[in-house]
Amino acid sequence: MSELLAGAGYTLAGAHRAIHAVAPEPDIAAALAVTATTPVLHIRSTSWTASGQRCDVYDTWVRSDVVPLEVNVDAGGQ
């Protein structure tokens, strides 16, 4: 996705992602083929350019048993 945004002139400068383990609402549970008591990850994300323009926003639910959550952290060369 970052390559598509960059190709359209939106170079990512940063992002904020809020990740919570929650019990899904019935329609989300049905779409993910889980029970309403199965914890899933609810992710809200906003990415921005160097000028602060928001260029990628999403709100999604993820089964972490199907799609693992992996995080890399870069200290910015410090």
Side-chain angles (χ1 to χ4, degrees):
M1 181 59 117
S2 294
E3 292 175 12
L4 291 173
L5 290 170
Y10 296 97
T11 303
L12 297 181
H16 173 80
R17 291 190 177 92
I19 304 166
H20 299 272
V22 297
E25 295 181 10
D27 58 331
I28 300 298
L32 294 176
V34 297
T35 68
T37 59
T38 301
V40 297
L41 299 178
H42 182 204
I43 304 171
R44 291 185 179 188
S45 175
T46 301
S47 300
W48 55 86
T49 65
S51 67
Q53 180 182 14
R54 287 190 278 179
C55 60
D56 185 35
V57 177
Y58 65 84
D59 189 359
T60 192
W61 289 260
V62 176
R63 284 182 49 180
S64 61
D65 63 322
V66 175
V67 179
L69 177 64
E70 297 183 15
V71 178
N72 294 318
V73 178
D74 184 343
Q78 295 179 8

